[in-house]
Amino acid sequence: MSRSKSAPAPAAVILDPRAKLYLLLLANMLLFFHADARAEALLTALFLTPLFLAGRWRMGLRLTACYAVLLGLGLLSDAATLDTAGGASGAASASGSGADAWIHVVGLFSVGLRMMMPCFITGAYAFSTTRVSEFVCVLRRMRVPESVAIPCMVVIRFFPTIGRDYRRTRDAMALRGLASGRLALLRHPAQSLEFVLVPLLMNATIVSRDLSVATLAKGLGRPRPAYLHNGDSQRWFDWAAMAVCTIPLALSIGGVL
């Protein structure tokens, strides 16, 4: 009897590391030029698309929900500002001033975090889908000095290592019954500060030093010819992604969008 073969899983579409760096540059330019909410939302949707195409559905949905919440809080704050400017006066206005003040404070923080979300999204995509070897080859292909390339390699490995140490610390705290649960950081801030944040900050310097030593021990600081594992030229969808993300930002800077 012949066994039925299952259909192969669709291959994930992952951009070239140079295209990822370009998207990260566009996200920083979006923050620098302070584009309006429409252009920012459009570009954020475009930045989230490569995450889903790469198969990072959980990360993409979390970042999408976070941005949607921040955008909603910002719009709510804007609506409250308009109501305060043209609304009623007197006792009704005085009674609602306290609630409006809290809405404005929340809106202020939400707008600041929302403006940094494109940088977080493109950075998360670049770090989660790029191997260190690929990034090294790309930097050397671009003739980046080793004094810049080596810190970038350390940074790529630093955050996953710190995240793994954080999860291990939380597991150890849960075994001892100290501040267990997803919202333990908010419910037990003192214990979380003492048993999680302080050890992580003390361990961060050790981790960065060990990663730097490991990077130099592998010979990454020695000059050698550049070589790209995934080819010397970018593919058509790399150029398409860069062009599609550049057009909205250019239109927003020019005042068209």
Side-chain angles (χ1 to χ4, degrees):
M1 297 179 63
S2 61
R3 297 181 179 179
S4 60
K5 296 182 179 180
S6 58
V13 178
I14 300 178
L15 298 177
D16 187 83
R18 287 165 288 188
K20 299 173 187 176
L21 292 176
Y22 184 78
L23 295 184
L24 184 59
L25 176 63
L26 287 181
N28 284 273
M29 291 179 63
L30 178 66
L31 178 62
F32 178 77
F33 286 103
H34 189 57
D36 59 353
R38 291 178 300 175
E40 180 187 290
L42 177 59
L43 276 169
T44 302
L46 294 176
F47 291 152
L48 284 168
T49 302
L51 266 175
F52 293 107
L53 293 179
R56 302 297 196 273
W57 289 93
R58 181 176 298 179
M59 180 185 297
L61 291 175
R62 287 179 178 176
L63 292 173
T64 302
C66 184
Y67 182 80
V69 170
L70 294 175
L71 181 60
L73 291 175
L75 295 177
L76 180 63
S77 176
D78 294 340
T81 302
L82 293 176
D83 292 341
T84 303
S89 58
S93 177
S95 61
S97 60
D100 291 340
W102 280 107
I103 292 176
H104 295 328
V105 171
V106 173
L108 178 64
F109 282 101
S110 65
V111 169
L113 292 176
R114 190 196 72 200
M115 292 174 59
M116 293 187 292
M117 280 297 296
C119 300
F120 293 154
I121 292 171
T122 52
Y125 172 67
F127 287 160
S128 63
T129 59
T130 307
R131 295 191 298 270
V132 178
S133 58
E134 294 178 349
F135 197 71
V136 171
C137 294
V138 167
L139 292 180
R140 284 179 171 165
R141 184 74 180 181
M142 297 170 62
R143 307 300 180 185
V144 176
E146 294 293 326
S147 59
V148 178
I150 292 178
C152 292
M153 303 170 203
V154 174
V155 168
I156 290 178
R157 293 299 308 152
F158 178 77
F159 290 104
T161 305
I162 290 297
R164 185 165 56 250
D165 292 342
Y166 172 76
R167 289 189 293 271
R168 290 175 179 175
T169 304
R170 292 296 306 274
D171 293 340
M173 291 179 61
L175 289 175
R176 293 169 173 81
L178 298 173
S180 61
R182 292 183 177 272
L183 300 178
L185 187 63
L186 299 178
R187 291 187 287 106
H188 307 284
Q191 288 184 347
S192 300
L193 179 65
E194 180 180 359
F195 297 107
V196 178
L197 297 182
V198 172
L200 281 180
L201 291 176
M202 295 178 63
N203 192 39
T205 56
I206 301 175
V207 170
S208 61
R209 183 193 61 192
D210 293 343
L211 290 175
S212 301
V213 171
T215 301
L216 296 175
K218 292 178 181 179
L220 296 179
R222 298 178 57 187
R224 63 184 65 186
Y227 174 72
L228 281 177
H229 295 287
N230 56 346
D232 293 339
S233 60
Q234 293 177 300
R235 295 151 293 184
W236 65 269
F237 53 82
D238 296 319
W239 295 104
M242 291 190 292
V244 169
C245 294
T246 303
I247 292 174
L249 179 60
L251 294 177
S252 176
I253 295 174
V256 178
L257 186 61

